[in-house]
Amino acid sequence: MANNKRKCFTCDREKNTYTCEGCSKRFCFIHIPEHHQRLNEELHHIVDNYNEFKERINKQKKSSQNYSLIQQIDRWEEVSIEKIKQKAKDCRKMVIGSLQTYINDIETKFNNLNKQIQQLQIQNDFNEINLTYLRNQLRTITEELNNPLNISIPEDPQSFINEISIILSKKPKFNKWKQDAIIVAGGNAEGEKLNQFYHPEGIFIDKKKNIFVADRFNHRIVEWKYNAKEGQIIAGGNGLGNRMDQLNYPTDIIVDQQNHSIIIADWQNRRVIQWLNQKQQILINNIDCSRLAMDEYGFLYANDYKKNEVRRWKMGEYNEGIVVAGGNGQGNQLNQLNSPTFMFVDEDQSVYVSDRGNHRVMKWRKDAKEGTVVAGGNGEGRNLNQLSSPEGVIVDNLGRIYISDFGNHRIVRWCEEKEEGEVVVVGNGEGIQLNSPSGLSFDDEGNLYIGNYTNHRITKFEIIL
């Protein structure tokens, strides 16, 4: 360093100073060591940063899975595998359902033929014409059984992961029903007599074709035995109230045929209550529930039309339940509902919900964060791609969805992923046909039962085999 008397950068005094070639500043003899010390500290700081960076490099080498791109690839792998599993599951379900429908159809024809044979034997009144007819019918059924459903599973070679699909050479039968309604319960104007209803809603048909009805405005649950002229009160019927033996506008029921217990959506009492041998037990309290469902594993599902959600409870454990549909406020987004009503739960615990205020039916797969629109969703209307305040909903073993199209006085069938449905039973809002259909149920033979809310009756539409 050059020696000159100039001002020191640190003390600002005239002294012999020395120039730092790095920063071009001058320092006296006293302050040049301080400046050097500061440079040393900065060097140590740089060394520390260097060591820290080196350590980070070593960590990155050892755990390359933490890179964001690797994580993105991992996520793609998980999603792709899940899609493959779901596709395989859907295809299995379709194959099993198609084969079951095929066998059931043949068995039904055989049972009908067997009844005819038994009837002829009992009456002992037949001739060659009868015998020829029976032989021809048996031959037809035999040929159908010997010609099994032809199912092939082609793969799409153009896909990165070969896409498969199910092709049925013999398409599953789409059931049809006679369009002339039969009154099977009520139909004697509104009233509180045992042969009357006052706005029936939820219905249930047991294996003996007995009909259970939530008789809403009569505050009671009624059972009509098969072919009976009047019903019998099995719950409520003690006037409007909140005592344990009373109901307050009940709207839906579940019947356990094994122990003959009844679970009731006691709407205005804001509770779900169980009746067993005239003894009552509150299962869920403080809930704005109007509809109920149960899956094959015994889980109970209840809507809350004010919270716009559906919750699932394990039988015997009625705490908060688990939200399985909606729960994100009122709205029309895929994670929302608007005044949900009837529900159906399939074997995979997917929940189908009549999203009445949005004029659509939603499907929420188990543990899903949002649902998919499987019917309607194109605004309120009468077109085949629209619904009007849907109510009852049932899904058969082939995934076909049946809906009480309340505002349009009709029953429609939708196949998932189709853009529109088809009308299977139609009314005009008058007569015995259909008037504001609400509850919906099938018996074991496939006959269709509908609760006519405004006509105060239950109508039956017989299946055409």
Side-chain angles (χ1 to χ4, degrees), residues 16 47 81 88 110 132 180 208 210 266-267 300 328 340 461:
N16 288 325
V47 171
I81 291 173
F110 174 76
T132 299
D180 296 325
K208 298 180 179 179
N210 300 319
D266 193 7
W267 177 44
L300 179 65
N328 296 294
F461 293 84

Side-chain angles (χ1 to χ4, degrees), residues 147-203:
N147 184 26
L149 195 63
N150 186 17
I151 300 178
S152 60
I153 307 178
E155 296 184 7
D156 181 5
Q158 301 300 319
S159 175
F160 169 66
I161 300 174
N162 288 351
E163 176 72 18
I164 66 170
S165 58
I166 302 298
I167 295 180
L168 305 175
S169 60
K170 188 184 295 182
K171 293 184 178 179
K173 181 179 177 182
F174 278 76
N175 296 333
K176 295 182 179 180
W177 291 265
K178 296 178 181 179
Q179 295 300 301
D180 296 325
I182 302 172
I183 299 175
V184 291
N188 299 295
E190 72 178 52
E192 59 182 16
K193 295 179 181 178
L194 290 178
N195 68 342
Q196 293 178 308
F197 291 123
Y198 193 4
H199 293 311
E201 289 215 43
I203 62 175

Side-chain angles (χ1 to χ4, degrees), residues 324-383:
V324 294
N328 296 294
Q330 185 183 76
N332 60 5
Q333 301 301 311
L334 292 179
N335 68 342
Q336 294 178 307
L337 298 170
N338 184 355
S339 301
T341 59
F342 284 94
M343 301 158 289
F344 179 88
V345 186
D346 68 14
E347 60 184 9
D348 298 323
Q349 292 185 309
S350 294
V351 183
Y352 296 77
V353 186
S354 282
D355 192 8
R356 177 170 178 151
N358 286 323
H359 311 290
R360 67 189 185 185
V361 174
M362 301 289 292
K363 177 181 180 181
W364 289 65
R365 295 188 183 275
K366 185 179 180 182
D367 300 326
K369 299 302 180 184
E370 62 180 32
T372 56
V373 180
V374 293
N378 298 297
E380 182 178 13
R382 292 188 59 83
N383 295 327

Side-chain angles (χ1 to χ4, degrees), residues 365-431:
R365 295 188 183 275
K366 185 179 180 182
D367 300 326
K369 299 302 180 184
E370 62 180 32
T372 56
V373 180
V374 293
N378 298 297
E380 182 178 13
R382 292 188 59 83
N383 295 327
L384 290 178
N385 68 340
Q386 294 178 306
L387 298 171
S388 177
S389 302
E391 285 282 344
V393 58
I394 293 179
V395 183
D396 67 15
N397 59 359
L398 291 180
R400 300 175 296 202
I401 308 160
Y402 297 82
I403 306 158
S404 291
D405 195 3
F406 185 88
N408 287 324
H409 311 291
R410 65 190 184 184
I411 306 300
V412 294
R413 173 171 56 203
W414 284 64
C415 295
E416 197 170 333
E417 298 181 358
K418 295 293 184 181
E419 294 183 357
E420 62 181 33
E422 60 175 323
V423 178
V424 295
V425 173
V426 65
N428 56 9
E430 301 175 358

Side-chain angles (χ1 to χ4, degrees), residues 61-323:
K61 284 182 178 180
K62 293 179 181 178
S63 55
S64 59
Q65 292 295 323
N66 292 331
Y67 288 146
S68 60
L69 291 177
I70 296 300
Q71 290 177 328
Q72 185 177 344
I73 294 172
D74 290 344
R75 179 59 183 158
W76 171 83
E77 180 185 26
E78 293 172 4
V79 171
S80 297
I81 291 173
E82 187 59 36
K83 286 181 178 178
I84 293 171
K85 288 182 177 179
Q86 186 60 51
K87 182 69 176 182
K89 190 174 186 179
D90 292 342
C91 288
R92 289 190 201 98
K93 184 177 180 180
M94 186 175 180
V95 169
I96 293 171
S98 299
L99 291 172
Q100 189 63 51
T101 300
Y102 168 73
I103 295 298
N104 289 345
D105 186 37
I106 295 177
E107 187 176 25
T108 299
K109 292 177 181 178
F110 174 76
N111 290 336
N112 289 337
L113 184 60
N114 187 43
K115 289 179 182 178
Q116 296 177 51
I117 293 173
Q118 291 177 354
Q119 190 67 27
L120 288 177
Q121 289 176 328
I122 293 172
Q123 295 175 351
N124 197 25
D125 182 17
F126 52 88
N127 54 35
E128 287 81 1
I129 296 175
N130 301 125
L131 297 179
T132 299
Y133 168 78
L134 292 175
R135 277 194 293 268
N136 290 337
Q137 288 296 307
L138 183 58
R139 185 182 300 111
T140 300
I141 297 174
T142 302
E143 290 175 356
E144 190 170 351
L145 184 61
N146 291 335
N147 184 26
L149 195 63
N150 186 17
I151 300 178
S152 60
I153 307 178
E155 296 184 7
D156 181 5
Q158 301 300 319
S159 175
F160 169 66
I161 300 174
N162 288 351
E163 176 72 18
I164 66 170
S165 58
I166 302 298
I167 295 180
L168 305 175
S169 60
K170 188 184 295 182
K171 293 184 178 179
K173 181 179 177 182
F174 278 76
N175 296 333
K176 295 182 179 180
W177 291 265
K178 296 178 181 179
Q179 295 300 301
D180 296 325
I182 302 172
I183 299 175
V184 291
N188 299 295
E190 72 178 52
E192 59 182 16
K193 295 179 181 178
L194 290 178
N195 68 342
Q196 293 178 308
F197 291 123
Y198 193 4
H199 293 311
E201 289 215 43
I203 62 175
F204 180 89
I205 315 299
D206 70 10
K207 295 181 179 179
K208 298 180 179 179
K209 296 186 177 63
N210 300 319
I211 306 169
F212 298 79
V213 183
D215 192 5
R216 176 173 171 174
F217 278 67
N218 281 327
H219 316 293
R220 66 191 185 187
I221 305 299
V222 177
E223 178 185 5
W224 280 63
K225 297 291 186 182
Y226 180 58
N227 284 337
K229 300 300 181 183
E230 63 180 32
Q232 61 186 49
I233 300 171
I234 58 173
N238 299 304
L240 184 154
N242 60 7
R243 296 198 315 259
M244 291 294 286
D245 66 338
Q246 291 179 308
L247 298 173
N248 190 345
Y249 294 95
T251 50
D252 201 13
I253 52 172
I254 294 174
V255 180
D256 188 330
Q257 299 179 68
Q258 292 184 346
N259 62 14
H260 305 290
S261 69
I262 308 166
I263 300 176
I264 306 167
D266 193 7
W267 177 44
Q268 289 291 5
N269 278 329
R270 302 187 68 244
R271 65 189 182 187
V272 175
I273 188 169
Q274 182 183 49
W275 282 57
L276 175 60
N277 298 325
Q278 293 301 311
K279 295 182 180 180
Q280 303 83 34
Q281 175 188 3
I282 296 176
L283 302 183
I284 306 170
N285 222 335
N286 299 317
I287 182 172
D288 293 295
C289 171
S290 63
R291 304 292 187 265
L292 298 168
M294 184 174 287
D295 65 24
E296 61 183 38
Y297 306 103
F299 287 91
L300 179 65
Y301 298 74
N303 75 329
D304 191 317
Y305 65 92
K306 285 190 176 180
K307 291 183 178 179
N308 296 288
E309 67 183 22
V310 176
R311 286 181 179 264
R312 181 181 70 216
W313 279 267
K314 185 177 181 180
M315 292 295 285
E317 298 180 9
Y318 301 103
N319 36 48
E320 291 298 318
I322 299 173
V323 176

